[in-house]
Every structure is written in C-alpha cells, then in structure tokens.
C-alpha cells in the first residue's frame, strides 16, 4: 500500500511534508484518561530533550492518524454519494452528518473518488 496522501484542507492550505515516521499511538489506561492533567505521561517528563522528542513523536502520530481518518471520511463520502446506490445521500445531508460545508463535502467526495480510482487506500486496508 502506498503512503497516505494528505486530504484537502478546508482552509485551502496544503499540509507540509512529513519529516519522519510517526510514533505509534498507544492507548492510555482508563485511570490516566480520567485525570485531565495527564497526557501520555508527558507531564511527568523532566528532561526537556526527552519531552520535546516524545511530544514531537506524538504530534506526528496524531497528524498521521488524522490524515488516515480523513482519507476514510473521503472514501465513505464518495461511497455514500454514489448515484448507483439506492441509499445515496444528498450532498446537504452528507455535509450535515459530517459537520462540513457543502463545498467541502463536494471536495471530500472528489478526493474519495480519486482514492478509489487510484487503488490507494481502501476500507479494510491496514498497514
């Protein structure tokens, strides 16, 4: 599978290039999530070099996860707007469900269709 491509940005700006492979996101234990001051144990790091390194890894991992989730949103939007589907959603309904503007929903549909045409990311594909 190819590297995920950045999704269209609703603000119209392109994301910058990826610099390094992102760190794997690990789920935090439930007791840590309940503590609003706790965030992936960053608050307990005293060495600023270690803190910067781990915070950077997390930032890159979250960006990669957001890009990947956005690709799946685009694929779903393209599928849900497919005229051959009996349960096709009108653009306005799709935009409302995804909390997008109709213009952005149209861009996401087009992006999803391009992903499907290119054989890139497909639902169910995992790295």
């Amino acid at each position: 599978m190819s590297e995920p491509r950045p999704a269209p940005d609703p603000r119209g700006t392109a994301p910058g290039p990826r610099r390094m492979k992102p760190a794997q996101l690990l789920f935090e234990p439930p007791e840590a999530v309940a503590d609003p001051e706790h965030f992936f144990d960053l608050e307990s790091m005293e060495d600023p070099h270690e803190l910067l390194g781990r915070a950077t890894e997390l930032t890159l991992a979250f960006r990669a996860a957001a890009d990947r989730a956005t690709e799946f949103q685009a694929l779903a939007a393209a599928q849900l707007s497919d005229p051959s589907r009996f349960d096709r959603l009108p653009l306005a309904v799709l935009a409302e469900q995804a909390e997008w503007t109709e213009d952005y929903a149209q861009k996401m549909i087009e992006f999803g269709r391009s992903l499907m045409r290119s054989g890139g990311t497909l639902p169910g594909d995992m790295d």
Side-chain angles (χ1 to χ4, degrees), residues 44-57:
S44 67
M45 293 183 178
E46 294 184 20
D47 177 6
H49 292 286
E50 181 184 3
L51 177 60
L52 178 62
R54 183 62 181 143
T56 301
E57 288 175 346

Side-chain angles (χ1 to χ4, degrees), residues 28-42:
E28 295 190 89
E31 61 275 2
V33 174
D35 179 5
E37 296 298 315
H38 184 83
F39 188 73
F40 288 89
D41 209 28
L42 294 178

Side-chain angles (χ1 to χ4, degrees), residues 43-117:
E43 71 287 341
S44 67
M45 293 183 178
E46 294 184 20
D47 177 6
H49 292 286
E50 181 184 3
L51 177 60
L52 178 62
R54 183 62 181 143
T56 301
E57 288 175 346
L58 285 169
T59 298
L60 294 173
F62 284 124
R63 283 181 190 154
D67 286 348
R68 185 87 170 133
T70 302
E71 286 180 340
F72 279 96
Q73 280 184 308
L75 288 166
Q79 291 170 352
L80 289 169
S81 67
D82 184 345
S84 66
R85 289 179 64 106
F86 75 93
D87 60 346
R88 179 180 105 131
L89 292 180
L91 184 62
V93 173
L94 178 68
E96 183 180 344
Q97 283 188 7
E99 299 182 16
W100 296 330
T101 65
E102 287 186 33
D103 288 343
Y104 187 69
Q106 186 61 50
K107 288 179 183 179
M108 289 296 281
I109 290 167
E110 292 167 9
F111 179 56
R113 288 178 181 159
S114 74
L115 287 172
M116 290 190 292
R117 278 192 305 272

